Amino acid sequence: MDPVRVRFAPSPTGYLHVGGARTALFNWLYARHHKGTFILRIEDTDRTRSTDEAIEQIFASLRWLGLDWDEVYRQTDRFDRHREVAAELRRRGAAYESEGALWFRVPPGGATTVHDLLAGEVTVQHTELKDLVILRSDLTPTYNFACVVDDHDMGITHVIRGAEHLNNTPKQLLIYKALGWLPPAFAHVPLILGPDRTKLSKRHGAGSVLDYDERGILPEALVNFLARLGWSHGDQEVLSRDELVALFDLPGVNTAAAVFDEEKLLWLNHEWLRRLDPYRLADLLAERIVARRVAERAAVEAVGREKLARAAVLLRERGKTLVEMADRARPYLPGAIDLPADAQDLFVPEVASSLRELATRVEGLADPTAHGFEAVLRGTADDVGLPLKALAPAVRVAVSGSRVGPGLFELLAVMGKEIVAARLRAAAAEAEERRG
Ligand code: GLU
């Protein structure tokens, strides 16, 4: 068998959305699995609707997803070749001119059958097809024609694309036949539907790939999610890029439509956040904290990479996206935090004075580890005669502004002595002030 050559052929008329990204991914996975070639072909022949900005967006989206291409083409660079093949069709009597455009003549009798690797056999009677324009009057080629010329010239072995193109395939097969060319294999991937089983809408998943980045989704998670939209491997949900490359093949692609499930994407994202190397996560979190103006870059740098990695490990227990993690990162960064308005019940007078005592002991703590913080908290509670379960919640709210969160001693250790002591004192002072 010939080495696999596949292509992703987006029209740069808008951003890359989930459907396009899945097509790109399936082609990329197929190429990598079979050690073949993944080609990116920008189908910009419709010059009124194509924009350079959309091309940049497509490149950026594929890069973010980690779908690297081996060859790249712009269809507009190939106009001469398209015109040459159009002239050849005309010479063969398969095309004719009318109203300034060049038309492909659909043979009058008979039928054309697509042998699709996923959709099966699809037969169309020629009487159902109309002649089609292949060169517009401005000499630009149309999609169905340029697609055939380029797939042929680029040695494409498998055309893997969305099911919305299945209607085009008989016309394309007729053009191959008229030129005496062998067509590639076709695999039309079933549509992606919204949760209500209607066409995917903006509200459900039809947004751009880079919007997911914006929302704090990891590329690992989106790739995993897209792969599972219409392809499965038993009941394994979490699959790495390497596993996908090893396992993906066309026979595993479902023949029924896939349903977009936002909850599942968030679940997968959480899974991937948990699997990420803490230092990589710390770097992503640092960027996000600055981008979302949770803190200045200087404050993030003051914390340092090691502490930030430990904070990230705590934040990912509850945070399902990088955005949620960043928005909850404030307590780990230097500076004051806001106490909740309803925390008075925690800061009764004996607790407030104990927080001061604790602050002094924390400042002198020789072993500022989770273990060390636990010892100093227990010791203070004993000495001031308060149960730990009265002191601990007040400490948590004083340092983090929240009643819930990760294990308290690890939280304190990650924050460090300085931040903890300052916030304990500030909480004690505020409690007294609120009481008036
Ligand atoms: N430019 C077409 C699109 O974006 C490509 C279709 C194909 O893969 O042949 O839908």
Side-chain angles (χ1 to χ4, degrees):
M1 231 177 83
D2 290 339
V4 162
R5 287 177 65 83
V6 291
R7 79 325 187 255
F8 174 52
S11 305
T13 54
Y15 49 67
L16 186 64
H17 52 74
V18 166
R22 184 190 60 165
T23 300
L25 176 63
F26 280 19
N27 277 284
W28 183 86
L29 287 173
Y30 193 72
R32 295 294 172 257
H33 178 82
H34 290 282
K35 306 212 175 343
T37 303
F38 176 61
I39 294 165
L40 175 58
R41 184 170 79 220
I42 303 294
E43 300 210 322
D44 55 347
T45 58
D46 184 345
R47 288 194 284 192
T48 55
R49 294 176 60 227
S50 301
T51 66
D52 285 344
E53 197 196 335
I55 295 177
E56 280 314 311
Q57 271 255 358
I58 290 166
F59 287 157
S61 302
L62 294 177
R63 279 195 203 104
W64 181 74
L65 287 167
L67 307 185
D68 55 329
W69 52 90
D70 306 307
E71 297 172 20
V72 61
Y73 303 94
R74 274 180 81 146
Q75 221 160 24
T76 44
D77 291 337
R78 298 180 36 82
F79 277 175
D80 288 347
R81 171 65 179 154
H82 299 135
R83 286 167 197 156
E84 179 186 305
V85 177
E88 174 63 23
L89 279 172
R90 198 168 177 183
R91 256 194 306 279
R92 291 172 177 237
Y96 61 91
E97 199 180 319
S98 173
E99 290 178 40
L102 197 67
W103 296 70
F104 179 77
R105 192 192 321 271
V106 173
T112 292
T113 300
V114 183
H115 301 273
D116 193 272
L117 295 173
L118 297 172
E121 292 206 348
V122 181
T123 299
V124 178
Q125 301 297 323
H126 293 167
T127 48
E128 291 169 32
L129 299 176
K130 291 198 191 93
D131 290 357
L132 56 138
V133 172
I134 55 174
L135 280 189
R136 301 183 187 94
S137 51
D138 66 358
L139 296 184
T140 58
T142 57
Y143 158 68
N144 274 311
F145 174 60
C147 179
V148 167
V149 175
D150 291 356
D151 284 341
H152 168 265
D153 287 4
M154 294 171 193
I156 300 302
T157 55
H158 298 74
V159 168
I160 304 169
R161 62 187 172 198
E164 68 273 18
H165 286 291
L166 190 53
N167 282 338
N168 288 319
T169 311
K171 298 175 216 166
Q172 296 181 7
L173 284 175
L174 284 171
I175 299 174
Y176 280 101
K177 197 168 171 201
L179 288 161
W181 291 347
L182 224 56
F186 290 94
H188 287 90
V189 181
L191 297 177
I192 303 171
L193 302 179
D196 51 1
R197 302 200 66 89
T198 61
K199 198 167 174 287
L200 211 55
S201 67
K202 267 247 165 80
R203 202 161 54 86
H204 297 120
S208 99
V209 164
L210 296 178
D211 286 346
Y212 289 96
D213 179 20
E214 183 85 29
R215 285 174 46 197
I217 301 292
L218 294 170
E220 286 87 344
L222 192 60
V223 162
N224 189 159
F225 177 75
L226 291 171
R228 288 285 291 102
L229 271 179
W231 173 86
S232 52
H233 176 69
D235 47 21
Q236 190 179 346
E237 289 291 353
V238 182
L239 294 131
S240 70
R241 185 180 301 266
D242 289 347
E243 286 175 299
L244 289 171
V245 167
L247 297 168
F248 184 89
D249 211 350
L250 287 175
V253 175
N254 304 335
T255 51
V259 176
F260 185 92
D261 179 351
E262 176 86 27
E263 282 301 309
K264 185 161 155 187
L265 173 59
L266 285 174
W267 177 80
L268 275 173
N269 201 53
H270 201 196
E271 291 295 313
W272 276 106
L273 283 172
R274 285 180 170 145
R275 283 166 167 79
L276 221 57
D277 169 66
Y279 285 94
R280 165 135 192 265
L281 190 57
D283 295 341
L284 294 174
L285 184 62
E287 286 312 311
R288 214 43 88 126
I289 286 170
V290 176
R292 295 188 61 78
R293 301 177 187 282
V294 175
E296 302 277 323
R297 190 172 295 278
V300 179
E301 274 162 14
V303 172
R305 203 168 177 236
E306 201 254 305
K307 279 279 172 74
L308 201 62
R310 285 172 68 188
V313 166
L314 296 181
L315 286 164
R316 73 179 170 188
E317 286 176 19
R318 282 157 188 272
K320 286 198 162 93
T321 67
L322 285 172
V323 167
E324 284 182 6
M325 289 174 62
D327 290 354
R328 293 172 190 166
R330 188 74 198 85
Y332 297 92
L333 300 160
I337 51 153
D338 295 331
L339 293 183
D342 64 349
Q344 282 308 11
D345 61 315
L346 292 174
F347 299 119
V348 293
E350 51 292 16
V351 169
S353 59
S354 310
L355 292 181
R356 278 217 177 80
E357 173 59 25
L358 180 61
T360 305
R361 295 191 187 191
V362 162
E363 277 161 349
L365 187 60
D367 169 33
T369 60
H371 193 258
F373 272 101
E374 175 169 5
V376 83
L377 222 75
R378 287 189 189 282
T380 308
D382 275 355
D383 293 349
V384 301
L386 267 180
L388 189 65
K389 68 176 190 301
L391 188 57
V395 170
R396 178 187 290 285
V397 170
V399 300
S400 73
S402 169
R403 289 173 193 258
V404 292
L408 179 60
F409 307 126
E410 175 64 8
L411 176 73
L412 297 173
V414 174
M415 288 178 173
K417 297 194 315 188
E418 224 172 292
I419 291 180
V420 170
R423 288 187 188 154
L424 290 173
R425 287 188 202 288
E430 197 178 321
E432 278 158 10
E433 206 171 285
R434 282 190 196 177
R435 253 195 317 275

